[in-house]
Amino acid sequence: MLLATGALVLSACTPAQAPGAEIVEGTSITVAWNQPFYSANGNTSFGNATANNNINYMTYSGFNYYDNTPELQRDESFGTYELVSEDPLQVQYTINEDVQWSDEVPVDAADMMLNWAALSGAFNTADFDPAEFQDPETGEFTTEFPEGTVFFDSGATPDSGVGLVREAPEVNEDGRGILMTYSDFYVDWELAFQAGLPAHVIAQRALGIEDAMEAKQAVLDAIANEDTEVIGQLAAEWNTGFNFTEMPSDTSVLTANGPYQITDFVADQYITLQANENYVGDHQPQVETITVRFITDAMAAVTALQNGDVDVIQPQATPDVRAALEGTDGITVNYGEGATYEHVDLQFDQSKNPGVFSTLEARQSFLMTIPRQEIVDRLIKPLNPEATVRNSAVFVPGANGYDESVEESGILDMYAEVDIEQATALREQAGLAEGTEVCLLFASTNPRRVSEFELIRESAAQAGWSVTDCSSPEWGGLLGAPGVYDASLFGWQSTSLGVASVGPNFETGGINNLSFYSNPEMDAVVQELNVTVDEERQLELLKEIDRILVEDAFGITIFQFPEVTAFSDRVSGIDSSPLAPTVFWNVWDWTPTETNVSEG
């Protein structure tokens, strides 16, 4: 899953591709990833996962992106955006005239207006609870909402991001731009918006319109007229229409405006992308075909690289992975500290065992049993001898504010060490019997998480908790699904340096708030953070978030991921970024070597 956090460790920068670079015909690169793709819409709570957004990054273009410095870069070959006014906050977005989708339909204001409707939640039916329409087996929302209901599954909140753009943007006369006016200032306005999915495809599928331009106009008309019946149909298609786990029968959902386009997809095996011949931007790729193979086992990924079956891997690092990679001829290996941190979250509501974590004492008791130091010592230090337990949900270790936040939040007072005696007492205070079950969701295909589960299970049992294995290969789609689990073990990966981007994890209804957590004090802090420019005050507010999370026993952080990137001599130009999409950030710079060409 994805999360944007604050300052990160810098890394070397790969030079930008020279203008005029051309595709080398017949070249192909194969990348291994540890989770299959399942959604081309990474803006839904269901599809917001690294495995999806790696692919989406290659198939969709936008107004900006992060390089591996990391520094925000504008892509003015796609379009431009301009801060028109700070009070009120107004931003003008304009897409270049020649930018088009892979089916040669223009990318324009209709795409942006539908994305505004989705990300703002401006038309969402008030007080509608979609939980009963979520498939407990997959976590995916259905399209069978009550008649007249509008629900975009974007996690939109009225006090952050595009949720602050409560009135419909103004569409430029030429149909290629929109002017967005915020009701309040938003500190991360530059990160809040992109062009979105192909509006014509969504309208064609949802409304049965054949002509692409008529479909675009139908989107614009529905929004202008506030036609909730039509918007509800568009929302249902936006939510689920771009979810697929193999090559879809209707390939219109593969429509792309980025350097690459999906051309083949075999369930649980691989997804293939080819250079998009209708892409007109500056990020022209040099490799003709990229295939992402789904290899869930890290050691299997290493073997595939050594055998020449894949060319690039970025598996979860383990001592076995490091040992296997050392001294392998024809392979470059880079180590570092990644942008992802491991953590355990607890369900405040909608848990599998109802009410198990409804009390503060129960949550504190369970968190006290998490053997964080043992996990780091046994699983992480063999890779990074300097590894430490991470003690903040918002600050990366070593970043400005981290030490102060750890000292002030109270996390060391409560969870510096496992305390079985106190955990047992708190469980009893919560009125929970010995052997109370906690269903823990995690990736069943991830060996390191299996090891973490065993360590957690053994420790928690000493305090009277019975931690059961609720792991699944489809764990990502199940996060946030009601009635499926009681606690979850996974990693958040940073996507930006935006200061306000921590809010969606913890504010009521936020897209990354998968725990049904709600605290008015937290919401107030997040709302202030969203509009605060002063850096000292930002630090104070971020520290407040850490403090509130500890006081509420929201969950517990464990460690920062060690990262390993390895690639063969068939490709050059690979230099991973500390932010998502990590190794894919400069896919257009990947250059086939002579070895690649001769074998292609």
Side-chain angles (χ1 to χ4, degrees), residues 14-18 21-24 27-29 260 284-290 311-312 567-575 583 586-597:
T14 298
Q17 175 186 337
E22 296 181 356
I23 297 170
V24 181
T27 54
S28 63
I29 295 296
Y260 286 93
Q284 294 291 338
Q286 299 178 64
V287 178
E288 186 173 33
T289 302
I290 293 177
D311 303 297
V312 183
F567 55 94
S568 75
D569 58 10
R570 285 168 42 86
V571 59
S572 63
I574 292 179
D575 196 350
V583 72
N586 67 332
V587 65
W588 52 83
D589 284 335
W590 292 5
T591 306
T593 64
E594 292 182 4
T595 304
N596 182 295
V597 175

Side-chain angles (χ1 to χ4, degrees), residues 359-591:
T359 66
L360 176 63
E361 291 82 5
R363 297 193 298 273
Q364 288 176 333
S365 169
F366 185 73
L367 296 181
M368 279 183 180
T369 70
I370 307 295
R372 299 194 299 156
Q373 188 64 58
E374 184 180 9
I375 290 171
V376 170
D377 289 345
R378 294 179 61 171
L379 304 179
I380 308 303
K381 281 193 173 182
L383 291 160
N384 176 14
E386 305 300 319
T388 60
V389 170
R390 173 164 167 159
N391 285 306
S392 169
V394 297
F395 293 102
V396 176
N400 183 28
Y402 176 82
D403 291 340
E404 294 87 346
S405 186
V406 171
E407 183 178 348
E408 297 170 13
S409 70
I411 191 169
L412 296 182
D413 296 331
M414 290 291 296
Y415 310 114
E417 297 179 353
V418 170
D419 190 336
I420 298 301
E421 182 178 353
Q422 180 66 5
T424 302
L426 285 167
R427 175 184 56 75
E428 292 173 349
Q429 288 178 33
L432 298 175
E434 184 170 355
T436 294
E437 181 184 356
V438 174
C439 168
L440 184 64
L441 174 67
F442 60 97
S444 60
T445 56
N446 186 315
R448 187 166 73 197
R449 295 227 170 95
V450 172
S451 297
E452 290 179 68
F453 163 74
E454 291 296 338
L455 293 173
I456 292 170
R457 183 184 61 81
E458 292 169 6
S459 179
Q462 298 177 53
W465 294 100
S466 175
V467 182
T468 58
D469 184 342
C470 282
S471 63
S472 169
E474 287 78 38
W475 63 275
L478 295 174
L479 286 168
V484 175
Y485 62 96
D486 305 312
S488 56
L489 170 67
F490 66 101
W492 281 125
Q493 185 180 69
S494 301
T495 61
S496 83
L497 301 183
V499 67
S501 53
V502 300
N505 259 46
F506 311 121
E507 65 186 336
T508 301
I511 188 171
N512 289 331
N513 183 349
L514 308 170
S515 303
F516 299 91
Y517 169 69
S518 180
N519 181 334
E521 183 183 10
M522 175 66 77
D523 292 344
V525 171
V526 170
Q527 289 170 23
E528 183 179 350
L529 184 62
N530 288 340
V531 301
T532 298
V533 177
D534 180 77
E535 292 185 2
E536 289 189 9
R537 182 55 183 162
Q538 288 175 355
L539 286 175
E540 291 301 318
L541 292 167
L542 289 169
K543 289 190 290 184
E544 281 291 287
I545 290 175
D546 264 343
R547 177 189 61 78
I548 296 170
L549 292 175
V550 172
E551 289 182 357
D552 286 345
F554 172 87
I556 196 75
T557 52
I558 305 177
F559 59 82
Q560 199 74 21
F561 272 36
E563 183 178 271
V564 58
T565 305
F567 55 94
S568 75
D569 58 10
R570 285 168 42 86
V571 59
S572 63
I574 292 179
D575 196 350
S576 188
S577 170
L579 298 176
T582 60
V583 72
F584 294 97
W585 81 268
N586 67 332
V587 65
W588 52 83
D589 284 335
W590 292 5
T591 306

Side-chain angles (χ1 to χ4, degrees), residues 41 43 63 89 91 93 95 108-124 150-158 160-171 177-183 192-199 202 219-228 231 234-235 238:
N41 188 356
N43 281 321
F63 292 101
L89 177 62
V91 185
Y93 292 90
I95 296 174
D108 58 21
D111 303 301
M112 291 190 285
M113 288 297 285
L114 182 56
N115 203 35
W116 163 77
L119 300 187
S120 68
F123 298 106
N124 280 8
V150 177
F151 173 68
F152 285 99
D153 175 31
S154 66
T157 57
S160 64
V162 181
L164 291 165
V165 185
R166 294 165 186 162
E167 300 295 328
E170 298 176 25
V171 178
I178 64 172
L179 177 67
M180 296 175 58
T181 301
Y182 287 72
S183 60
F193 188 72
Q194 297 289 355
L197 298 173
I202 291 174
V219 170
L220 294 172
D221 291 344
I223 292 173
N225 298 327
E226 300 184 2
D227 186 339
T228 55
I231 295 172
L234 296 173
W238 188 89

